[in-house]
Amino acid sequence: MLDTAPAVRRPPGRRPSGRGRPRRRPRFGPYLLIAPTVVVIAVLMFWPMIQIGIMSFQKVGNRQLRGEPAEQVGTQNFDTILKDPLFWAAFRHTVLFAVVAVSLTMVIGTLVGLLLNKLGKRMSSFVSGGVMVAWATPPVTAAIIFSWLFGSTGGLVNWTLDKLPDALVGGGWNDYNWFATPLSTYTVLTVCVVWQACPFVAVSVLAGLKSVPSELYEAARVDGSGPWRTFWSLTYPMLKPIFLVVLVMSIIWDFKVFTQLFIMSGMANRDAFNLSLYGYSEAFGALNPKLGMGSAIAAVLTLILLVVTALYVRVMVRQGETR
């Protein structure tokens, strides 16, 4: 009898396995394209970070800058800064400022982005361009502007507060020094940083809102959903990746704020130091620079930011796995 069983057909597009199967050659084209960028990043970022890590375990001063070999001190620099009350005061200022500034930046920037999304095309483009002026302003320029606005001699803010009724804001604002205490200094710094950072959040939120289908909002309105519920049930879940990216970037930026605080407060007011200004003062501010101490402070700040970045990457990976 003839075998009438149907022949097994091989799925299309699949080749038989065996020794005759051609091997794929490695493609080096993509690696060659990104090689110049990797080299530039390695020279400008990785190598200085390695040098900071090495100097944090050394005693580096004027003698070492003149050519003498650096003295290995182990973890002495870290022990010194961790026992210094000024380090913990600067750490507290850095964390509290970052919490307040990042929170205000996210809230105000999101509200501005929602407002821009409600405007017409021309008005939205016009307002977005005006808002981005603050983002494009260099930190040095912004610090000088706010130092003048809150200055004790001829400052616009003091002049305005002095003209208001004393029963409303109190008196004595004409010669009030906003940069005499840490609280008032960081109040001005927060206003300056939030003013500069809000446009980036607003434009990011606006770009994310443009990608959300309008049918979803129409369905939410038909279901009777209000603005608050629509935001938390529809807008926030759709824009959560954008919010995470902007949040982490804002934390990194606000943790290492230096230029604005340096111009506003200077080196004399040590009570208002944050970690960046504290590290600069130890490395370059004294007659005998302590580059090893400054490197240790910079290493601690870098470690904190790396932890924040690692948490962000972990959250993003989990989100990718759940989709």
Side-chain angles (χ1 to χ4, degrees):
M1 298 179 61
L2 297 176
D3 188 4
T4 59
V8 179
R9 295 185 178 181
R10 187 178 298 108
R14 298 183 60 181
R15 297 181 178 179
S17 58
R19 296 182 179 179
R21 185 177 180 178
R23 297 180 179 180
R24 294 184 178 179
R25 296 181 179 179
R27 298 180 179 179
F28 298 100
Y31 301 99
L32 293 177
L33 292 175
I34 66 173
T37 303
V38 173
V39 172
V40 172
I41 293 176
V43 173
L44 298 181
M45 294 185 61
F46 292 156
W47 178 244
M49 291 178 62
I50 294 174
Q51 289 293 102
I52 289 176
I54 295 174
M55 285 194 300
S56 64
F57 297 98
Q58 296 176 341
K59 182 180 180 181
V60 183
N62 286 326
R63 294 181 179 180
Q64 285 71 31
L65 294 178
R66 288 194 295 264
E68 294 186 9
E71 179 184 353
Q72 299 292 334
V73 294
T75 60
Q76 181 179 345
N77 292 328
F78 294 95
D79 295 337
T80 302
I81 63 174
L82 292 178
K83 294 178 181 178
D84 188 0
L86 184 58
F87 169 81
W88 294 108
F91 177 78
R92 182 171 62 253
H93 293 158
T94 303
V95 174
L96 292 177
F97 167 74
V99 170
V100 175
V102 170
S103 300
L104 292 176
T105 300
M106 294 298 297
V107 172
I108 298 176
T110 302
L111 293 177
V112 174
L114 293 173
L115 174 63
L116 293 175
N117 190 47
K118 294 295 183 180
L119 298 176
K121 185 176 181 180
R122 293 184 178 179
M123 183 58 66
S124 178
S125 301
F126 175 76
V127 176
S128 299
V131 167
M132 290 303 294
V133 172
W135 170 255
T137 303
V140 175
T141 305
I144 294 174
I145 291 173
F146 277 85
S147 297
W148 172 77
L149 290 175
F150 289 87
S152 57
T153 56
L156 182 61
V157 174
N158 286 358
W159 180 84
T160 303
L161 293 174
D162 191 64
K163 295 298 182 181
L164 295 176
D166 293 346
L168 183 62
V169 296
W173 290 101
N174 193 23
D175 55 351
Y176 181 78
N177 186 5
W178 286 89
F179 307 106
T181 62
L183 180 59
S184 57
T185 300
Y186 278 93
T187 299
V188 180
L189 180 64
T190 301
V191 175
C192 177
V193 171
V194 171
W195 175 75
Q196 281 196 284
C198 277
F200 176 74
V201 179
V203 173
S204 300
V205 171
L206 177 62
L209 291 172
K210 295 299 183 181
S211 63
V212 179
S214 59
E215 293 81 4
L216 298 178
Y217 289 103
E218 294 177 0
R221 285 193 295 267
V222 171
D223 293 340
S225 177
W228 185 257
R229 184 179 179 184
T230 301
F231 175 80
W232 287 111
S233 301
L234 178 58
T235 304
Y236 177 74
M238 297 292 291
L239 303 184
K240 191 174 181 180
I242 295 177
F243 282 124
L244 285 175
V245 172
V246 173
L247 176 63
V248 173
M249 295 180 67
S250 299
I251 292 174
I252 293 175
W253 290 335
D254 293 345
F255 252 89
K256 59 187 184 67
V257 165
F258 171 78
T259 304
Q260 296 92 327
L261 184 60
F262 178 78
I263 294 176
M264 292 179 183
S265 180
M267 302 294 295
N269 189 7
R270 295 176 64 88
D271 293 335
F273 277 4
N274 63 355
L275 287 179
S276 298
L277 195 57
Y278 176 52
Y280 176 84
S281 67
E282 292 294 328
F284 307 105
L287 295 177
N288 184 19
K290 302 176 183 178
L291 296 179
M293 292 277 292
S295 299
I297 299 169
V300 172
L301 181 58
T302 303
L303 181 61
I304 295 174
L305 297 179
L306 287 176
V307 171
V308 174
T309 306
L311 293 175
Y312 159 73
V313 173
R314 183 178 181 183
V315 172
M316 293 298 293
V317 170
R318 285 186 175 182
Q319 283 190 348
E321 291 176 353
T322 56
R323 290 181 180 178

